Amino acid sequence: MKTQLTGIVPPLVTPLSDRDTLDVPGLERLIEHLIAGGVAGLFILGTTGEGPSLSYRLRRELIERACKLAAGRVPVLAGITDTSFTESINLAVHASKHGCHSVVLAAPYYFPAGQPELIEYLNDLVNELPLPMFLYNMPGLTKVNFEQDVIRAAMQWEKVIGLKDSSCDMIYFHKLLRLTKQRPDWSLLVGPEELTAEAVLLGAHGGVNGGANLHPRLYVDLYEAAVAQDLAKVRLLHSQVIELASRIYAVGKHKSAIIKGIKCSLSLLGICDDVMAEPFHRFNEPEREMIRTHLAELGLL
Amino acid sequence: MKTQLTGIVPPLVTPLSDRDTLDVPGLERLIEHLIAGGVAGLFILGTTGEGPSLSYRLRRELIERACKLAAGRVPVLAGITDTSFTESINLAVHASKHGCHSVVLAAPYYFPAGQPELIEYLNDLVNELPLPMFLYNMPGLTKVNFEQDVIRAAMQWEKVIGLKDSSCDMIYFHKLLRLTKQRPDWSLLVGPEELTAEAVLLGAHGGVNGGANLHPRLYVDLYEAAVAQDLAKVRLLHSQVIELASRIYAVGKHKSAIIKGIKCSLSLLGICDDVMAEPFHRFNEPEREMIRTHLAELGLL
Amino acid sequence: MKTQLTGIVPPLVTPLSDRDTLDVPGLERLIEHLIAGGVAGLFILGTTGEGPSLSYRLRRELIERACKLAAGRVPVLAGITDTSFTESINLAVHASKHGCHSVVLAAPYYFPAGQPELIEYLNDLVNELPLPMFLYNMPGLTKVNFEQDVIRAAMQWEKVIGLKDSSCDMIYFHKLLRLTKQRPDWSLLVGPEELTAEAVLLGAHGGVNGGANLHPRLYVDLYEAAVAQDLAKVRLLHSQVIELASRIYAVGKHKSAIIKGIKCSLSLLGICDDVMAEPFHRFNEPEREMIRTHLAELGLL
Amino acid sequence: MKTQLTGIVPPLVTPLSDRDTLDVPGLERLIEHLIAGGVAGLFILGTTGEGPSLSYRLRRELIERACKLAAGRVPVLAGITDTSFTESINLAVHASKHGCHSVVLAAPYYFPAGQPELIEYLNDLVNELPLPMFLYNMPGLTKVNFEQDVIRAAMQWEKVIGLKDSSCDMIYFHKLLRLTKQRPDWSLLVGPEELTAEAVLLGAHGGVNGGANLHPRLYVDLYEAAVAQDLAKVRLLHSQVIELASRIYAVGKHKSAIIKGIKCSLSLLGICDDVMAEPFHRFNEPEREMIRTHLAELGLL
């Protein structure tokens, strides 16, 4: 499992049956659904997984169960992003003990560190990590961008094996691709599914796309068409991705609309419950009905 | 201790001797320094206290030790802000068990909740809280402002007893004062020390000022002069506060400059160590030397 | 008229009878209303005056008419903020020719200049200006803040005689007051009326308050009470200002709500028309009705 | 010339020999350089052209001269973006009189209009326009994004014939492409050159790329390779574009770095002077030397 990660690595939603209770059968169905869809790995405890909203007890339980359920068929990546250095390390140790492939880390998200502070922080963290690590650029939520100097520093550390970019900034992404040519073992993965087509066409290694929870095959096919340089197929599948996103993620009014849309859809598909972690709450019936209509019209129900 | 909180309630820095080790003698000296300076309470685990950067183990230890050291002389307020609802409740229960007066909560700071989501979140939280609570408005770090609808909702809950505003937005603050007239038991406290003079002159109940760690008497005197409507004295002390802030907080280059400046000063005064929690690090020697010069010129060394 | 400007200098709305036609009788009534209210000057072509939305022809006409109508009773200040250096100078020359006291300049607002670029720009401009100039800090609309280095540079130029700050950032304002002590001839004026009380209590020279269009006496009284250090009176008048602002400026939904609220009120008071310059349009009947109710309840109708 | 615009339409820098003087021979050389490079049109008075920084007299002169110099070989598009409705119309009338193909309009950039206000503004403007119009989405400088409702409204107006998007937000761009399928006569053009490859691969009609001032053939070849679906060639040329941008636009420190880099390069190539309009100034010698080195290493000198 030490080889480079390529393909679609969905950021799993966290199936919950209550505020602090994992929906274990839902998790199992979700993982089977994703592996059947051809995904290249499972990323738990990310943004789509509402990682920062979960208790540490639940995060540890999720790591254990996901690794057991995946059973080595695909690598499991665990989010360890935290405002506390010590808690990030604690989670990484737990992930290592239970068989995760690697960990994923965004910048600490309460205090926005300056870029030199960020380099020092990452250096200290990498020194104590028991697993390889992906950086996760998510400035919209962390308030901090991994600028080029940070990337240059990170390229010196063997333990850092790639980056997931959710900045939605393709100019930044292309500069990353240019910058990281000296680390051919790195995986550059793009977060937002609307950008997977172009990212892969122009050199990225895959996508960490929330919509793949719902319809993994679509994203895997899109990725493969892009790798095969089948532009006609890419255009077709890309337009389906845009259609899905334009409908399912536009039902809610707040920033939570994407995660709520995915969880509500999964619940309608019978895969898992749509309980959300605070500060969010599941859609009410009128919004649920709109999601149902969209899923039907998209041929997913 | 059920009466309204008024006066200066410093947000304590967290004395550390190592990344995850409390500097216990430093904490004791700090608390004695503050109580001797006339403060009205001790607020631990806030922004100045680097609360979100500390491990949960250390947060619990700090709650226990601060309550024991304060020994009932002044109320202790504990920050329970977290991205996880469950961890906030866990901390509040711990705070209650060890004798805290109340808890302090800013908005969850990874996912920015919409205002209706925020009301639902706060309502759920208040229902489970074992202690009275202050809201803490800190949009610069949480990305979320407590708008008027949230305040209106919070005024219905007896358990919420006030608000600390660190928005730096005095127009907002004046509207809060207008809005909360129906809750005469509420304490409206202002965060940034540069705004304490005007806030108290125009109706606020006190300040939660970081600089009070360093020189509690200055802030207490300013508060008392404002309550006494001694405008000449207010102007003089206010200009001293501005002078201190313009020097001590301007040595560092990043957002961490304020906390680093305070901790470095406290270390030079022999009160506690200046170890910072990641992602921050203490000042290097040249910056430390500048702080030393400023302290000397301000007559504090 | 070379002496320092102190007191309330309202930023006049621009009475229009059509998109590109000045409402001349409205302008006359407005100016008489303001002078009768005790204002210390008239600031035309500012933000409240929708200056950047007006054609140059109309801007020139307004300068001419305002100077003629003021007839030397109070100084007239003309906004010359522009994205084009040449057009700013053209307007300043026109203002000088027709008797304006001084000009007012915010940063160019299309391209956000870096601070060193801003200093060079201001230096070039000051060299060609035929009149004294106030800086106008308005980062919310210009995207550029006048940082301390810019202020330090501007203090070297005799032609710059003060600053109006509409940043809404009182921490910044207090630092300005500290910084400009070496220029005792400068006027530091505060923009938002909600901040006039505290600004003047702590050292500012006056307010450039939009609400003074509507009710000049209230703001003049507030200013005078603050200068007289009559804190009880300041609190009372300040709360009336907050009440007015919380009602009149909260009827509209967009950023234009303040100017629309003022113009609609002036129209209901029979002072001038409420035609707005594009991209804005006057309130519709339901909103107009709300303004009417607020004015009645505030005792202004 | 009524047919749809496709291909590379460079946003011309404005050659100046002094603050308010056009460098006419430079303009002629620039236009010849661009037409020889295969561009599909000339867009004057845009952001790269420092349009808002120029006097109206100079803007009118530039319209006249550019149309005369282009002499019908390629269409000329004139930017009429302004904070004043009347001045936008004045410029459009001038552009029509002198033979421009169409006009280009970003949102008014002092007051940020709400979306319904924006629709009303555009509707009023379109009614008075003598020429077809492209919308120009430039939220980074105008503070206003053309949201989907605005686009839906604009699709109803025959006079609006396309949109240039400089939001740098490809998710938005893909949604635009989806939305505007009902207007097959529209041209969707992308602003930033780093995004031209993917935009055209996935359905856009061309690019309005600043770097094409410098090296038009590179961008034209990239566009043509993308239309031809020659992915290998697209990747090669795209990486050259990223290389050029990563070097030439990274010499300056402020937001002006792109325009300064282009103008300095054109001056080194002997095409036109590098005088900038205020608030900007040309590079000093050390930065000029860095540009020279980059151009040499890129094989452009």
Side-chain angles (χ1 to χ4, degrees):
Chain A
M1 279 218 208
K2 282 224 163 167
T3 50
Q4 194 177 38
L5 209 62
T6 60
I8 299 298
V9 182
L12 274 73
V13 301
T14 302
L16 296 172
S17 57
D18 200 340
R19 181 181 294 150
D20 197 31
T21 311
L22 207 56
D23 166 15
V24 179
L27 178 65
E28 180 164 5
R29 281 190 299 270
L30 177 61
I31 288 178
E32 293 309 318
H33 171 63
L34 294 173
I35 293 178
V39 303
L42 304 173
F43 169 35
I44 57 172
L45 293 172
T47 300
T48 306
E50 299 168 274
S53 303
L54 306 173
S55 74
Y56 284 88
R57 189 205 57 68
L58 199 149
R59 292 188 219 184
R60 287 191 299 268
E61 183 188 350
L62 177 58
I63 287 172
E64 293 166 36
R65 291 196 188 270
C67 287
K68 200 169 286 178
L69 290 165
R73 291 174 292 172
V74 289
V76 176
L77 293 73
I80 61 164
T81 307
D82 208 290
T83 51
S84 160
F85 183 99
T86 303
E87 300 296 353
S88 286
I89 294 295
N90 289 347
L91 270 179
V93 168
H94 194 79
S96 174
K97 211 179 297 178
H98 290 274
C100 284
H101 165 271
S102 50
V103 295
V104 183
L105 180 98
Y109 46 89
Y110 187 72
F111 292 114
Q115 298 291 314
E117 291 169 333
L118 211 48
I119 292 173
E120 205 168 350
Y121 161 81
L122 288 171
N123 185 46
D124 290 349
L125 197 94
V126 164
N127 281 338
E128 305 206 5
L129 272 186
L131 281 178
M133 179 169 84
F134 285 87
L135 293 176
Y136 174 14
N137 193 43
M138 182 36 129
L141 292 177
T142 65
K143 299 167 283 184
V144 171
N145 202 50
F146 290 132
E147 304 289 354
Q148 304 216 2
D149 282 349
V150 172
I151 304 301
R152 272 190 209 99
M155 285 168 60
Q156 311 304 317
W157 303 321
E158 211 181 321
K159 232 182 261 172
V160 180
I161 60 171
L163 183 141
K164 170 193 176 184
D165 179 39
S166 291
S167 67
C168 301
D169 178 351
M170 289 307 289
I171 298 179
Y172 169 82
F173 194 79
H174 295 314
K175 289 184 181 162
L176 277 191
L177 281 166
R178 172 181 177 266
L179 201 64
T180 57
K181 273 182 189 151
Q182 294 109 300
R183 276 290 300 259
D185 61 311
W186 266 35
S187 295
L188 273 181
L189 308 170
V190 74
E193 59 210 69
E194 296 93 337
L195 305 173
T196 298
E198 63 215 85
V200 178
L201 284 173
L202 295 170
H205 303 92
V208 184
N209 305 326
N213 280 283
L214 179 52
H215 188 4
R217 180 51 65 190
L218 171 60
Y219 299 83
V220 171
D221 285 351
L222 171 61
Y223 166 75
E224 288 174 354
V227 168
Q229 308 205 0
D230 181 346
L231 196 53
K233 196 168 177 189
V234 167
R235 281 189 175 204
L236 178 71
L237 298 170
H238 168 72
S239 75
Q240 291 174 19
V241 166
I242 298 297
E243 191 67 26
L244 187 153
S246 298
R247 289 160 162 264
I248 301 294
Y249 305 161
V251 169
K253 268 167 290 183
H254 303 290
K255 292 235 171 179
S256 52
I258 295 178
I259 311 180
K260 284 182 182 167
I262 295 173
K263 270 199 159 172
C264 180
S265 298
L266 287 171
S267 146
L268 288 163
L269 293 176
I271 291 174
C272 67
D273 206 334
D274 61 350
V275 169
M276 303 284 293
E278 297 264 8
F280 299 145
H281 291 266
R282 69 174 102 195
F283 278 148
N284 293 323
E285 198 45 49
E287 291 148 325
R288 188 175 171 88
E289 197 47 44
M290 291 172 70
I291 294 284
R292 194 194 312 269
T293 304
H294 286 312
L295 286 177
E297 288 174 11
L298 291 164
L300 294 175
L301 208 66
Chain B
M1 279 219 209
K2 282 226 160 162
T3 51
Q4 195 177 35
L5 210 61
T6 59
I8 299 299
V9 183
L12 274 72
V13 301
T14 302
L16 296 172
S17 57
D18 200 340
R19 181 180 294 149
D20 196 31
T21 311
L22 206 57
D23 167 15
V24 179
L27 179 65
E28 181 166 3
R29 279 190 299 269
L30 177 62
I31 288 179
E32 293 308 318
H33 171 63
L34 295 173
I35 293 179
V39 304
L42 304 173
F43 169 36
I44 56 173
L45 294 172
T47 300
T48 306
E50 299 169 274
S53 303
L54 305 174
S55 74
Y56 284 90
R57 189 205 57 68
L58 199 149
R59 292 189 218 184
R60 288 192 299 268
E61 183 189 348
L62 177 58
I63 287 171
E64 294 166 35
R65 291 195 187 271
C67 288
K68 199 169 287 177
L69 289 166
R73 292 174 291 173
V74 291
V76 176
L77 293 73
I80 61 164
T81 306
D82 209 291
T83 52
S84 160
F85 183 99
T86 302
E87 300 296 354
S88 285
I89 294 294
N90 289 347
L91 270 179
V93 168
H94 194 78
S96 173
K97 210 179 298 178
H98 290 275
C100 284
H101 164 272
S102 51
V103 295
V104 183
L105 180 99
Y109 47 89
Y110 188 73
F111 292 115
Q115 298 291 315
E117 290 169 334
L118 211 48
I119 292 173
E120 205 167 350
Y121 162 80
L122 288 172
N123 185 46
D124 290 351
L125 196 94
V126 163
N127 281 338
E128 306 207 4
L129 272 187
L131 281 178
M133 179 168 84
F134 285 87
L135 293 176
Y136 175 13
N137 193 44
M138 182 38 128
L141 293 176
T142 64
K143 299 166 283 182
V144 170
N145 202 50
F146 289 131
E147 304 289 355
Q148 305 217 0
D149 283 349
V150 173
I151 303 300
R152 271 189 210 98
M155 284 167 60
Q156 311 303 316
W157 304 320
E158 211 182 323
K159 232 183 262 171
V160 181
I161 58 170
L163 183 141
K164 171 192 175 185
D165 179 38
S166 291
S167 67
C168 302
D169 178 350
M170 289 306 292
I171 298 179
Y172 170 81
F173 195 79
H174 295 313
K175 289 184 182 162
L176 277 191
L177 280 167
R178 171 179 178 265
L179 202 63
T180 57
K181 274 184 188 147
Q182 295 109 302
R183 275 290 299 261
D185 61 311
W186 266 35
S187 296
L188 273 181
L189 306 170
V190 74
E193 59 210 67
E194 297 92 337
L195 305 173
T196 298
E198 61 215 85
V200 178
L201 283 174
L202 295 171
H205 303 92
V208 185
N209 305 326
N213 280 282
L214 180 50
H215 188 5
R217 180 53 63 189
L218 170 61
Y219 299 84
V220 171
D221 286 350
L222 172 61
Y223 166 75
E224 288 173 356
V227 169
Q229 308 206 1
D230 181 345
L231 197 53
K233 195 167 178 190
V234 166
R235 281 190 174 203
L236 178 71
L237 298 170
H238 168 73
S239 76
Q240 290 175 18
V241 166
I242 298 297
E243 192 67 27
L244 186 154
S246 297
R247 289 160 162 265
I248 302 294
Y249 305 162
V251 169
K253 270 168 289 185
H254 303 290
K255 293 235 172 180
S256 52
I258 295 178
I259 311 180
K260 284 181 183 168
I262 296 174
K263 270 200 159 172
C264 181
S265 298
L266 287 171
S267 145
L268 288 164
L269 293 177
I271 291 174
C272 67
D273 206 334
D274 62 349
V275 168
M276 303 283 295
E278 297 264 9
F280 298 145
H281 291 266
R282 69 172 104 194
F283 278 148
N284 292 324
E285 197 46 49
E287 290 148 326
R288 188 174 171 87
E289 196 47 44
M290 292 172 70
I291 294 284
R292 193 194 313 270
T293 305
H294 286 312
L295 287 177
E297 289 175 9
L298 291 165
L300 293 175
L301 207 66
Chain C
M1 278 216 208
K2 280 223 162 165
T3 50
Q4 194 177 38
L5 209 63
T6 59
I8 299 299
V9 183
L12 274 73
V13 300
T14 302
L16 296 172
S17 58
D18 201 340
R19 182 181 294 151
D20 197 31
T21 311
L22 207 55
D23 167 14
V24 179
L27 178 65
E28 181 166 3
R29 280 190 299 269
L30 177 61
I31 288 179
E32 293 308 319
H33 171 63
L34 294 173
I35 292 179
V39 304
L42 304 174
F43 169 35
I44 56 172
L45 294 173
T47 299
T48 306
E50 299 169 275
S53 302
L54 305 174
S55 74
Y56 284 89
R57 190 205 55 68
L58 200 148
R59 291 188 220 184
R60 287 191 300 267
E61 182 188 350
L62 177 58
I63 287 171
E64 294 165 36
R65 291 196 187 271
C67 288
K68 200 169 287 178
L69 289 165
R73 291 175 291 172
V74 290
V76 176
L77 294 72
I80 60 164
T81 307
D82 209 289
T83 52
S84 160
F85 182 99
T86 302
E87 300 296 354
S88 285
I89 295 293
N90 289 348
L91 271 178
V93 168
H94 195 79
S96 174
K97 211 179 298 179
H98 291 275
C100 284
H101 164 271
S102 50
V103 295
V104 183
L105 180 99
Y109 46 89
Y110 187 73
F111 292 114
Q115 298 290 315
E117 290 170 334
L118 211 47
I119 292 173
E120 206 167 349
Y121 162 81
L122 288 172
N123 185 46
D124 290 350
L125 196 95
V126 163
N127 281 339
E128 306 208 6
L129 272 187
L131 281 178
M133 177 168 86
F134 285 87
L135 293 176
Y136 174 13
N137 193 42
M138 183 37 131
L141 293 177
T142 64
K143 299 167 282 183
V144 170
N145 202 50
F146 290 131
E147 303 290 354
Q148 306 216 359
D149 283 349
V150 173
I151 303 301
R152 272 190 210 97
M155 284 169 58
Q156 310 304 316
W157 305 320
E158 213 182 321
K159 232 183 261 171
V160 180
I161 58 170
L163 184 140
K164 171 193 175 183
D165 179 39
S166 291
S167 67
C168 301
D169 178 351
M170 288 307 290
I171 299 179
Y172 169 81
F173 195 79
H174 295 312
K175 289 184 181 162
L176 277 191
L177 281 167
R178 172 179 176 267
L179 201 64
T180 57
K181 273 183 189 149
Q182 294 110 301
R183 276 288 300 258
D185 61 311
W186 266 36
S187 295
L188 274 180
L189 307 170
V190 73
E193 59 210 67
E194 297 91 338
L195 305 173
T196 298
E198 61 215 86
V200 177
L201 283 173
L202 295 171
H205 303 91
V208 184
N209 304 326
N213 280 282
L214 181 50
H215 188 3
R217 179 54 61 190
L218 171 60
Y219 299 83
V220 171
D221 286 350
L222 173 60
Y223 166 75
E224 288 173 356
V227 168
Q229 309 207 1
D230 181 345
L231 197 53
K233 195 168 178 191
V234 167
R235 282 190 174 202
L236 179 71
L237 298 170
H238 168 72
S239 77
Q240 290 176 17
V241 166
I242 298 298
E243 192 67 27
L244 187 155
S246 298
R247 289 161 162 264
I248 302 293
Y249 305 162
V251 167
K253 266 168 292 182
H254 303 291
K255 292 233 172 181
S256 51
I258 295 178
I259 311 180
K260 283 182 184 168
I262 296 174
K263 270 199 160 172
C264 181
S265 298
L266 286 171
S267 145
L268 288 163
L269 293 177
I271 291 174
C272 67
D273 207 334
D274 62 348
V275 169
M276 303 284 294
E278 297 264 8
F280 299 145
H281 291 267
R282 69 174 103 196
F283 279 149
N284 293 323
E285 198 45 51
E287 291 148 325
R288 187 174 173 87
E289 197 47 43
M290 290 171 71
I291 293 283
R292 194 194 312 270
T293 303
H294 286 312
L295 286 177
E297 289 175 9
L298 290 165
L300 294 175
L301 209 65
Chain D
M1 279 218 208
K2 281 226 162 165
T3 50
Q4 194 177 38
L5 208 63
T6 60
I8 300 298
V9 182
L12 274 73
V13 301
T14 302
L16 295 173
S17 57
D18 201 341
R19 182 180 293 150
D20 196 32
T21 312
L22 208 56
D23 165 15
V24 179
L27 178 65
E28 180 164 6
R29 281 191 297 270
L30 178 62
I31 288 179
E32 293 308 318
H33 171 63
L34 295 173
I35 292 179
V39 304
L42 304 174
F43 168 36
I44 56 171
L45 294 173
T47 299
T48 305
E50 300 169 274
S53 302
L54 305 174
S55 74
Y56 284 89
R57 190 206 54 70
L58 199 149
R59 292 189 219 185
R60 287 192 299 268
E61 183 189 348
L62 177 58
I63 287 171
E64 293 166 35
R65 291 196 186 271
C67 287
K68 200 169 288 178
L69 290 165
R73 291 175 291 172
V74 290
V76 175
L77 294 72
I80 60 164
T81 307
D82 209 290
T83 52
S84 160
F85 183 99
T86 302
E87 301 295 352
S88 285
I89 294 295
N90 289 348
L91 271 178
V93 168
H94 194 78
S96 174
K97 211 179 297 178
H98 291 274
C100 284
H101 165 272
S102 50
V103 295
V104 183
L105 180 98
Y109 47 88
Y110 187 74
F111 292 115
Q115 298 291 314
E117 290 170 333
L118 212 47
I119 292 173
E120 206 168 350
Y121 162 81
L122 288 171
N123 185 45
D124 290 350
L125 196 94
V126 164
N127 281 339
E128 306 207 5
L129 272 186
L131 282 177
M133 178 168 85
F134 285 88
L135 293 175
Y136 174 14
N137 193 43
M138 182 39 128
L141 293 177
T142 65
K143 299 166 283 184
V144 170
N145 202 50
F146 290 131
E147 304 289 354
Q148 305 217 0
D149 282 349
V150 172
I151 304 301
R152 272 190 209 98
M155 286 169 58
Q156 311 303 317
W157 304 320
E158 211 181 322
K159 232 183 261 172
V160 181
I161 60 171
L163 183 140
K164 170 193 174 184
D165 179 39
S166 291
S167 68
C168 301
D169 178 351
M170 290 306 292
I171 299 179
Y172 169 82
F173 194 79
H174 295 313
K175 289 184 182 162
L176 277 191
L177 281 166
R178 171 180 177 265
L179 201 64
T180 57
K181 274 184 187 148
Q182 295 109 299
R183 277 288 299 260
D185 62 313
W186 266 35
S187 295
L188 273 181
L189 307 171
V190 74
E193 59 211 68
E194 297 91 336
L195 305 173
T196 298
E198 61 214 89
V200 178
L201 283 173
L202 295 171
H205 303 93
V208 184
N209 305 325
N213 280 283
L214 180 51
H215 187 5
R217 180 53 62 190
L218 170 60
Y219 299 84
V220 171
D221 286 351
L222 172 61
Y223 166 75
E224 287 173 356
V227 169
Q229 309 205 0
D230 181 346
L231 197 54
K233 196 168 178 189
V234 167
R235 282 190 174 202
L236 179 71
L237 297 170
H238 167 73
S239 76
Q240 290 174 18
V241 166
I242 298 297
E243 192 67 27
L244 187 153
S246 298
R247 289 159 162 266
I248 301 295
Y249 305 162
V251 168
K253 268 167 290 183
H254 302 291
K255 292 235 171 180
S256 52
I258 296 179
I259 310 179
K260 283 182 183 169
I262 295 174
K263 271 200 158 171
C264 181
S265 299
L266 287 171
S267 147
L268 288 163
L269 293 175
I271 291 174
C272 66
D273 207 334
D274 61 349
V275 169
M276 303 283 295
E278 297 264 9
F280 299 145
H281 291 267
R282 70 174 102 194
F283 279 148
N284 293 323
E285 197 46 49
E287 291 148 327
R288 189 174 172 88
E289 196 48 43
M290 291 172 70
I291 294 283
R292 194 194 313 269
T293 304
H294 286 313
L295 287 177
E297 288 175 10
L298 291 166
L300 294 175
L301 207 65

